[in-house]
Structures are given as C-alpha cells and as structure tokens.
C-alpha cells in the first residue's frame, strides 16, 4: 500500500521552521478528533457488541497516538514526545480503565508502532482470518486518514465481527486469501496431528495386549489343582478393597477371642462376659458376608462397640508375650483346620469326578431299553465294509459315556472335509453297549461309518494274557480298593484317592495298549479320549512323518514340570537305570499310532514286561500315562502343540487364543464338561455339539 507518513502539511511547516504549529495540531487532534473517531468508529460496523466497540475505540486511539508519535520523533526531541504522551493520556484516562491503558502501552513498547503490514507479515494462527478489505488510499488523502484506514483494516482481524468501510477510505473489496504455501503447511500440520493420534491409539492397544498377556502369565502360577481355586475370578474379588470392613470385623473377632482367653485365665469375670457378648454380636453381624455389601446395617455400630471393649481389654490385660502366644496357638489351630478341609475338598472333588450325573445315567438306561426292544435285523450299522479298509481314516474311541462319545463323533464329522472317508471304532462295556448302539442308530454320523463293540466280548483279553487283569484280580489289589475299614474319615480317604478311581479297574482304560490286537488289518489309527472336542479337520495327522516312531503326540513338559520324574519312581534302580528323569512327557487324548511299526517293535510286549514288574506298584502308581511313557520311551514323535491343547478340566488360565486355534481341546482333569463342577468359561465349546432338543435328552432333563 502506498501510505503517506505525517500529518497534512507537516513537511512544509518543518521546512519553514514552523515547528510550533505541530503541538497545536496534535492537541486539536487528540482533544477533538479522538472522541470524534470514537463515535465514527461506532458507525463503521453493524453487528458488533458494546464490548467490541470499546475494543475498536482502543485500536483507533492507539493508531492515532502511534501516527502522532512517528511524526513528532522526526522533528522534536524525546522530552516533547513524553510531554505530549502524558497530555494525551490525561485526556484518555476518563474513557478507559488503568488495565486497558497498561495493555496498550505494553504492546506498543514491546512490538513497536503497530501497522497493518506487521500483521500481514506475521504468521497468524489458523483461528485468525482477514475478513476486511484491502486498503487503498487516494493520492490526496491526508496522513491521518491513512492511519485511520489502516486501523480499520486491522480491526478486521477481530474474530466473528464484520466491518463495512466507507468509500473515502476503502476502494478495493477483494478478500485476503492464504497463500498456497500456508495452506500446504496447515494441511501438513493436520496430517501430523492425525498420524500422532493414530500412533497413540495403537500404543494404547499394544499396552492393553501386553497387560492381558502378563495377567495370563501371572495366573498360570496359581495352584489350580485343588477344586475351588478358580473362585479368584469371582466378581466380588475384582475390587481388592471391597471387603475392608469385613476384614476389620474379622480382626476384631480374633483379638476378642485372644483377650477373652486371657480374661478367663486372669479371672476377670465382668470383662470376659462383656467380651463374650460383643463377640457374639460381631459374629452375628458378620454372618456369611464376604464383601462389605453383604454386611448387615448394624455392622458399623457393632464395630464401634467392639472397639470400645477391646480398648478396655488392652488397658487391663495386654501382655505382649502372652498375646503373642495366644495368637500363635490360634494360627496353628487354623492351619490344621485348613489342611483338614483341603483334604476333604480333594476327596469330595475326586468323588464327584467319579460319578455319572443322573441325566446321563437316565439317558443310558432309556437307550438301553429301546435297543433291546429292537429286532436283530435293525441293530446293524450300514457301510460295514469300510471297517477294515486301511485307505480310510480310522478312529479308536473307548468310552462308557454315551453323551461324551456323541460329542467326540459329532465334532469330528462336523469339522471333517470328507466325512465319508472317516470310520469310528467305538468300544464300551457291557452295561453301556445297548445305549451306545441305540444312540448312533438313532443319530447316525452322516456319511461316516461307525461300529460299536463290547470289551467283555474280547475273549483273548484275559488274565493269562493281560498282566493288568491278573493284578486287578489279586487279593492285594482287592484289599487296596475294597477293604471296608480301609479309611475311617474323609480326610484320611483322600490319600492317593485319584488312583482309586474306578476307571483304573476298567479294561477300557488299558485297551489302548492292545490296538493291533483289536484292529489287526489297519495300518494307522487315531486314538481319541472321550473328554475331547474336535475343532478342525484331523486328516492331516495321517500324513505326518513319524520318522520311524510309533506314537505321534503333543509334548506337555514345561521348564520343570510334566517330565518323567513327575510320574515315575526314580528311587527305584530299574527306573533310574533305563530312563532320563528330565525326559519330556506327552499327553494321551489324541495320538496317531503307526500299527505297522507297533508290531515290529512289539510295543505290547514292552508294556507287559514293565506292567509285570510293577505288580506291587513300586515303579509308578496306577494309571495308563506312566506305563505309556515307559512303553513309548524314545518311540514318540512330537506333534505341533496346536493339534492338541490340554488343561480345560483343571486350569482356569488356558489362553483363549490357544483354545480357538487348537484342532483338539482336552478336558483332562476332574472338571469334566458334563459335570456340575465344570468350569463355565470352557463348557460352551463342548455343549455346542449336543442336540438339547433331542427327545431323549429333553426327557432326561439334560440342559446347557
């Protein structure tokens, strides 16, 4: 803009030495024109508020002062300028507050004389924008008019206010537009903000995943072998301070018992009676509460009264040595009670694991009745020619649980790519033979083949051939299992109870060591337990290269557990001489067996040898995994862990991703999915393969 400096005629007066007129003009401008500008400024806009009009006036006055000071400094000394500024301030003081004048003066001192060019060249933030017009001044405009026009343009920087300039001062109505460079910088800043926000969100997600994984790792250290440990996931335990009042009441009860004992010993009858009364009240207030929300409304009052009597007892009876002794005795007594209850809990959980729920028993009985009412010609399964075809996929399933066996078969078929190539060989006992047949006659597995056999009809499986049958018939084993006065209490009966499970008396559990004898014409067979669920197609197991080994299984050893020394007695020289205590264990439940190599290695003969040596149970306790580890020692090929995920029957911290990615999940442990003590979080993987609308299941009240 071609703006002119100075007041009208100032240059000619200076040349003539007429400097005395300058103060007069300035005085007239300050005293007369400044108020006029104030009112003129009010007419220059239409939509501004009262506060904004004051702001406009401040700027107009500031620009006139600046213009005046610029002219004066070119012709007068600093003293005259100070005098005129003081005079100007005297006229302005009645119009503005002290704070407003200080702000104007501070801005002028810090930034120098304000001008429109200064604001144009400054890098204003995006929240400021020019809504006014370009200023062009006519050649005959006075310098004062130029200053006022410049101030008008500056006023347009005020947000949300629009000013309409008048013709004598403004001619060009073009809008100020940001340069392309500024627009590019603004867009770049916006992109950086968005990228930073996305990075922060991603970091939050990563931190959340790390915290979840750390929590899972910590939970794995929890001893979950005892039933009830998984109750740490109860809702009431989410807040660690949720039962602070309950803890306080329990602490008061403990101290009341201590002082009651001491008061009785020291013959403080009145105090003992008062302690006894408060103790009963606190126990009633506590009841069975485990969190503060469970407490009665009278609990705070009971706490207060108990606090008073405990203070009195402390004053009269406190003896550090005596109190310490009483607390130690109470701790030992409580510890004994905990051990006893733990043994009872273990016994009862083992007992529950051995039972068959009423619903499953009902189902078996109903199916058995229906089966024996069928004519003989309707008791046969179709496609019997597939039973000995070695080119098909064969499964061995030994079970006395109809519902569990149905889940194994249904889940396998539903996830199979070619169901017609799958053959199921079921073996059960005499009691459940009719029920197992009837179920699969009523619910055939699609295009797959199935066959059910009775283990009691295997005449070759007798005590003269099988060491386990001979041992089970011995007097020592009968005494071990059936002697009436073997235990007198629940806690005593919990000793080695898991090895007294009736399944160890059944040959169904030991039949896995006789697969070539049961299926002599097959080359490979996949062995499945009845407490598993199949989630993927398993045909890939038949193409796994076992490298000359007999057994393909998933290893279960970690850093220091599930190794051979956990299952075998290495204090025995026979075990110590032949096996490595740190050898890795593996799991039954899903095993691919090469029956050709089995026959070549005489696996059944190895099993018989070690079983005969363990007649007095000095090499291992009862069960099939320890003799399996011995029999298949150095003959087991490790499979990928995703084929077989274990622990859903005892471990509450199995990783959900591992479960969902597994081909087979295994409910090994006491908490079987068909029992009431099953873990709810895992049960749905099993129940989704049961047809709860089936009439037999409905009639036996089996539900999800």
């Amino acid at each position: 803009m071609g703006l002119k400096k100075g007041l009208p005629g100032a240059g000619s007066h200076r040349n003539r030495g007429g400097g005395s007129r300058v103060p007069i003009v300035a005085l007239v401008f300050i005293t007369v024109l400044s108020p006029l500008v104030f009112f003129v400024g009010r007419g220059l806009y239409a939509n501004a508020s009262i506060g904004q009009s004051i702001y406009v006036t401040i700027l107009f006055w500031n620009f006139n002062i600046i213009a005046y000071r610029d002219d004066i400094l070119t012709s007068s000394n600093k003293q005259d300028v100070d005098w005129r500024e003081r005079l100007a301030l005297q006229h302005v003081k009645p119009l503005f507050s002290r704070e407003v004048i200080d702000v104007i003066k501070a801005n002028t001192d810090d930034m120098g004389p304000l001008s429109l060019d200064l604001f144009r060249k400054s890098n204003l933030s995006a929240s400021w924008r020019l809504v006014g017009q370009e200023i062009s001044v006519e050649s005959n405009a006075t310098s004062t008019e130029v200053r006022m026009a410049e101030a008008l343009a500056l006023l347009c920087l005020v947000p949300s206010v629009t000013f309409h300039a008048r013709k004598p001062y403004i001619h060009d109505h073009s809008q100020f537009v940001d340069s392309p460079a500024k627009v590019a910088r603004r867009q770049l800043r916006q992109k950086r903000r968005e990228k930073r926000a996305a990075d922060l969100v991603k970091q939050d997600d990563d931190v959340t995943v790390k915290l979840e994984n750390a929590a899972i790792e910590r939970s794995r250290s929890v001893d979950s072998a005892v039933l009830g440990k998984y109750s740490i996931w109860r809702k009431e335990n989410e807040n660690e301070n949720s039962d602070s009042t309950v803890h306080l009441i329990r602490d008061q009860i403990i101290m009341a018992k201590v002082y009651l004992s001491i008061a009785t010993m020291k013959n403080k009858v009145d105090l003992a009676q008062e302690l006894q009364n408060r103790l009963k009240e606190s126990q009633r207030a506590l009841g069975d509460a485990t969190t503060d929300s469970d407490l009665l409304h009278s609990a705070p009052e009971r706490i207060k009264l108990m606090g008073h009597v405990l203070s009195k007892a402390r004053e009269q009876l406190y003896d550090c040595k005596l109190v310490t002794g009483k607390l130690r005795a109470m701790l030992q007594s409580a510890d004994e009670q905990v051990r006893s209850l733990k043994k009872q809990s273990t016994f009862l959980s083992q007992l529950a694991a051995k039972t068959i729920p009423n619903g499953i028993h009902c189902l078996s009985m109903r199916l058995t009745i229906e089966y024996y009412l069928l004519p003989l010609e309707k008791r046969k399964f179709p496609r019997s020619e597939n039973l000995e075809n070695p080119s098909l996929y064969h499964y061995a399933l030994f079970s006395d649980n109809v519902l569990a066996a149905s889940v194994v078969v249904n889940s396998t078929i539903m996830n199979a790519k070619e169901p017609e190539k799958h053959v199921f060989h079921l073996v059960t006992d005499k009691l459940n033979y009719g029920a197992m047949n009837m179920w699969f006659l009523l619910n055939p597995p699609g295009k797959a083949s199935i066959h059910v056999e009775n283990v009691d009809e295997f005449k070759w499986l007798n005590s003269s051939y099988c060491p386990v049958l001979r041992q089970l018939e011995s007097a020592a084993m009968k005494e071990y299992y059936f002697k009436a006065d073997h235990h007198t209490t629940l806690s005593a009966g919990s000793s080695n109870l898991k090895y007294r499970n009736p399944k160890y008396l059944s040959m169904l559990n030991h039949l896995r060591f006789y697969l070539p004898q049961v299926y002599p014409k097959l080359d490979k067979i996949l062995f499945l337990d009845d407490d598993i669920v199949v989630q993927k197609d398993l045909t890939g197991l038949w193409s796994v290269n076992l490298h000359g080994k007999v057994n393909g299984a998933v290893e279960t050893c970690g850093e220091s557990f599930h190794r051979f020394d956990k299952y075998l007695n290495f204090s025995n020289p026979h075990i110590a001489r032949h096996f490595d205590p740190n050898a890795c264990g593996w799991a039954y439940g899903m095993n691919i067996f090469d029956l050709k190599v089995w026959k070549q290695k005489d696996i059944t003969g190895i099993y018989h040898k070690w079983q005969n040596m363990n007649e007095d149970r000095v090499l291992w306790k009862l069960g099939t995994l320890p003799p399996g580890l011995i029999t298949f020692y150095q003959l087991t090929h490790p499979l990928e862990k995703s084929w077989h995920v274990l622990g859903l029957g005892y471990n509450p911290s199995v990783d959900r991703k591992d479960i969902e990615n597994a081909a087979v999940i295994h409910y090994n442990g006491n908490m079987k999915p068909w029992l009431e003590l099953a873990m709810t979080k895992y049960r749905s993987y099993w129940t989704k393969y049961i047809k709860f609308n089936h009439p037999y299941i409905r009639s036996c009240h089996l539900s999800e």
Side-chain angles (χ1 to χ4, degrees), residues 7 54 80 325 327 333 386 395 426 453 494 496 536 553 604 625:
L7 293 167
I54 294 174
D80 292 337
L327 287 173
S333 175
N386 293 336
Y395 299 84
L426 272 67
E453 295 181 273
S494 65
N496 292 329
K536 294 183 180 180
T604 305
L625 182 56

Side-chain angles (χ1 to χ4, degrees), residues 129-132 134 174-183 186:
R129 63 189 182 93
L130 293 172
V131 297
E134 291 275 6
S174 61
Q175 284 282 63
F176 284 112
V177 180
D178 286 343
S179 65
K182 287 187 177 180
V183 173
R186 187 180 300 113

Side-chain angles (χ1 to χ4, degrees), residues 123-124 177-190 192:
N123 184 17
L124 299 177
V177 180
D178 286 343
S179 65
K182 287 187 177 180
V183 173
R185 285 198 300 272
R186 187 180 300 113
Q187 292 175 349
L188 182 60
R189 286 195 297 270
Q190 182 64 23
R192 288 174 179 170

